Amino acid sequence: MKKTVIVLSGSLLVLTGCSKLKEKKNEAATSLIEKATEAISGQKMDALDVNHIEDNQAVVDIIVGDENLQDHFKKGFGSITATKETIAITIAGGENGEDNILIGFQGKDLTAERPIKGKMVKGENAGFTFSMTKVTDSGMDVQLSYEAWGEIVSLQKDKVVIKVKGKTGSSMDAESPDKWKSYEGTITLNYPVFQAVGSSKEDFTY
């Protein structure tokens, strides 16, 4: 969570100013984010590429039950934080970033896996987690996966493609499989904020 806050704060700084000042701010923001993340994690961080922050766009083509989530993420913003053992992916959508999709991949050494994939069976994490938060007229709707499968089809600095499939429900429905909704689809992250901690970005790309 702290890493996400740092990334978003740095991104807002980059979006202001004229073109010449923008380059200097990009460098300063990158340096600041690197130092802060290294202080929190205790690991060396690969430099963030903030030059394409304005091109950051998440395309969410996932059907949950009979609803496609595209409308909730028309202005989607994607970020990735990767270590050898975990890859955390966040997609923020809605008018003010209030809708979120959180994806996690875990393994002994994800830099050696091609493709990177995982699953969850009956609520037991076997290398993959998926959850969604949407703000509705009646409040906040949090959906957790109880059965899930995910795969990073391709992972490049300028484009990441992720396929997901599973069943989701509220926390109160954990013991009520009949209330779970099936979901399946593809997420495409264009120019996501991508940070690698303890490794270089190239260790993860394919």
Side-chain angles (χ1 to χ4, degrees):
M1 180 63 72
K2 290 182 179 179
K3 297 187 182 76
T4 303
V5 172
I6 293 167
V7 170
L8 294 177
S9 298
S11 300
L12 290 173
L13 289 174
V14 172
L15 290 174
T16 61
C18 64
S19 59
K20 290 184 179 180
L21 288 176
K22 183 176 177 180
E23 292 180 4
K24 293 182 180 179
K25 288 182 179 180
N26 285 352
E27 294 175 1
T30 299
S31 177
L32 176 62
I33 295 167
E34 281 186 273
K35 291 178 181 178
T37 304
E38 287 173 18
I40 293 170
S41 66
Q43 294 180 291
K44 182 174 176 57
M45 176 184 163
D46 189 18
L48 277 172
D49 180 8
V50 294
N51 294 324
H52 293 285
I53 198 74
E54 294 179 0
D55 299 317
N56 188 315
Q57 181 186 26
V59 180
V60 177
D61 186 13
I62 298 176
I63 295 177
V64 182
D66 56 0
E67 178 189 14
N68 195 309
L69 298 181
Q70 284 182 334
D71 289 342
H72 290 276
F73 294 91
K74 285 182 178 179
K75 299 179 181 180
F77 184 95
S79 62
I80 301 172
T81 301
T83 71
K84 279 190 175 183
E85 297 82 17
T86 63
I87 293 179
I89 300 169
T90 303
I91 301 101
E95 289 298 322
N96 300 299
E98 66 273 15
D99 297 330
N100 288 275
I101 292 176
L102 303 178
I103 297 172
F105 290 89
Q106 300 85 37
K108 291 183 177 179
D109 184 0
L110 297 178
T111 64
E113 292 189 26
R114 299 292 185 271
I116 295 170
K117 57 184 177 180
K119 60 183 178 179
M120 175 178 286
V121 181
K122 295 181 179 179
E124 295 296 324
N125 184 355
F128 178 68
T129 58
F130 180 92
S131 64
M132 300 175 290
T133 301
K134 294 186 299 178
V135 175
T136 65
D137 293 337
S138 57
M140 186 173 291
D141 179 21
V142 179
Q143 296 288 309
L144 308 174
S145 274
Y146 297 107
E147 292 183 7
W149 171 89
E151 177 181 323
I152 301 178
V153 179
S154 62
L155 199 166
Q156 297 293 327
K157 295 178 182 180
D158 60 344
K159 187 176 182 179
V160 180
V161 179
I162 308 156
K163 288 188 175 295
V164 298
K165 183 179 182 179
K167 293 183 178 181
T168 184
S170 70
S171 58
M172 295 184 294
D173 296 334
E175 303 300 326
S176 304
D178 57 307
K179 295 183 179 180
W180 299 349
K181 292 182 179 180
S182 296
Y183 68 87
E184 183 174 2
T186 302
I187 296 172
T188 303
L189 305 179
N190 297 300
Y191 292 100
V193 172
F194 183 7
Q195 52 185 320
V197 182
S199 302
S200 69
K201 296 175 187 176
E202 286 72 20
D203 292 334
F204 298 95
T205 56
Y206 59 91

